[in-house]
Amino acid sequence: MRIIYNICIIYVRTHNATGNEERSRRMSVKWKGEGLIKLRDEIDSWIPKEDIERGEGRMASMKEFEECRTSLLNLTSKIDFEATKFSLGILICSTKEQSDGLCDAIKLPTVMFGRSVRGILPFLKTNSMRTIVAEECSHVLRAVRELVESCIELESKGADKVDPTKVGLVTEYCKRFKMRIPKSDKVACKRFVMKSILQIKDTADEFQQSLSSNETGDDDDLLMDDMFLIGDEDFGDDGEEKKEMTESERSIIESAVKVFRRCERLCKTYAQACVSLPDSLNKAQTKLANKLVELSHKLLSVVTDLGCCLYVPIEKESKDDIANHAKKLKEFADQSLVLLLQVPTIKSEPKVETRIRKICSGLKSALDDLNKK
């Protein structure tokens, strides 16, 4: 009887101790979770919003921008360091003071980073620079937010290790911020124009390849012979026949590819014009740089729409659309000439001006040829 009594006493004490530990753990989860939620919401509030317009009044000088850029780069290093420290300790810290200390340590550089970006964005000169800074800042802050969010979830489950990929994401975006923030507005503008150039080139290459494939014949016929030899008839296209390109369609696509190449060449002159601008832009040069980027986007948009009309079979409706797109591209050629001749280095160099005029007239000639098809 005495033995049974002792066993019961041991059970009750053990159960009470376990219950106390569980209650203590739940209390820890509660205050730690509340701290993490506050941290997450604070970071969330500093993520840049879309379509930030330039502020009224003066623009940031080159010196002010360089100082801000250096400060932001230093803050990303601090964020990376604190994120690693935070991930190693937040789930295993045993006191509220330790948890709050880790949260405050990562919150300080992160909030300063978001506040600095929000402060400088409205006063950056070009739309391109504003977009790049806002996007790269968002990537960093969202990565930190995801790290904190994952810690909230893991804490509620009683886990003691943070997902290393979440920490790696913070490190990756902090390093990317350092590499991708341009040193000047003209570099930012050139980057956006280059994107348009590459996409126009891809469109031209795609249809050039379709012409070559149709001319030489694909290897599909040879492959189909092998399929039937091994008895795997399910590899076919359920009776769908490949559309053959007619001579008329080939002629249209060939002319369109020439137009694409001319558009690519014209877009390259935009990039060269951006690079020729000074590092520190005045208001007129800023307006010019923004227009060059905007025109490159419009050119790309029409090239993409034109490309969508070139897939065989080319019906009458598609031919009407091609004519409309060609008309828009002609207007862009005229706008480009007017805009490019405003660039100081082009105005002052007769040879360069002549070359620009030839590029614009060459595009219009290619468009006239396309309209005849």
Side-chain angles (χ1 to χ4, degrees), residues 125-278:
K125 294 180 181 179
T126 60
N127 299 331
S128 301
M129 180 67 84
R130 200 156 43 247
T131 300
I132 293 171
V133 173
E135 285 182 352
E136 295 306 320
C137 172
S138 294
H139 287 316
V140 173
L141 294 181
R142 290 183 195 280
V144 178
R145 186 193 182 283
E146 281 187 30
L147 171 62
V148 176
E149 187 74 51
S150 69
C151 290
I152 294 172
E153 185 179 346
L154 292 169
E155 179 66 28
S156 66
K157 296 177 180 178
D160 60 358
K161 287 184 179 179
V162 175
D163 183 356
T165 60
K166 300 295 182 183
V167 190
L169 202 61
V170 176
T171 300
E172 178 185 340
Y173 281 121
C174 285
K175 288 181 178 177
R176 172 173 153 155
F177 186 88
K178 294 178 180 180
M179 292 187 293
R180 287 187 60 82
I181 298 302
K183 292 183 178 180
S184 65
D185 284 282
K186 70 178 187 179
V187 174
C189 291
K190 181 190 173 185
R191 185 180 297 175
F192 276 91
V193 175
M194 289 303 297
K195 285 182 181 179
S196 298
I197 293 171
L198 291 173
Q199 291 179 59
I200 292 172
K201 182 180 184 301
D202 287 343
T203 302
D205 290 345
E206 177 188 346
F207 286 101
Q208 185 68 58
Q209 181 63 36
S210 72
L211 291 171
S212 301
S213 298
N214 193 265
E215 190 176 70
T216 59
D218 291 326
D219 294 333
D220 292 346
D221 296 336
L222 295 175
L223 290 172
M224 287 302 294
D225 290 341
D226 292 338
M227 289 176 190
F228 288 120
L229 284 174
I230 60 175
D232 196 351
E233 298 178 0
D234 291 333
F235 282 173
D237 292 331
D238 298 329
E240 290 185 8
E241 294 183 3
K242 182 180 176 182
K243 302 291 183 183
E244 292 294 331
M245 189 184 296
T246 65
E247 285 303 316
S248 175
E249 289 169 341
R250 168 177 286 279
S251 179
I252 292 172
I253 294 173
E254 284 175 346
S255 296
V257 169
K258 289 178 182 177
V259 169
F260 295 153
R261 297 298 185 197
R262 300 281 184 177
C263 288
E264 180 187 347
R265 190 177 177 189
L266 178 60
C267 227
K268 286 179 180 178
T269 65
Y270 299 165
Q272 292 165 353
C274 288
V275 173
S276 71
L277 295 173

Side-chain angles (χ1 to χ4, degrees), residues 52-60 116-125 130:
I52 297 176
E53 296 294 334
R54 195 183 76 75
E56 295 296 328
R58 71 178 187 83
M59 298 178 286
S116 298
V117 169
R118 184 173 294 183
I120 193 66
L121 274 179
F123 302 101
L124 294 177
K125 294 180 181 179
R130 200 156 43 247

Side-chain angles (χ1 to χ4, degrees), residues 298-351:
K298 289 181 178 179
L299 196 68
L300 170 62
S301 177
V302 179
V303 165
T304 303
D305 292 341
L306 177 57
C308 291
C309 302
L310 299 177
Y311 293 101
V312 295
I314 301 176
E315 307 290 351
K316 182 184 183 303
E317 184 179 345
S318 295
K319 290 180 180 179
D320 292 339
D321 289 337
I322 289 171
N324 291 330
H325 296 320
K327 183 179 178 182
K328 288 181 183 178
L329 288 176
K330 253 190 175 181
E331 292 173 0
F332 289 157
D334 292 332
Q335 292 174 24
S336 298
L337 181 59
V338 173
L339 190 62
L340 289 166
L341 292 182
Q342 295 176 28
V343 179
T345 53
I346 295 177
K347 280 197 300 185
S348 61
E349 292 288 341
K351 288 184 179 179

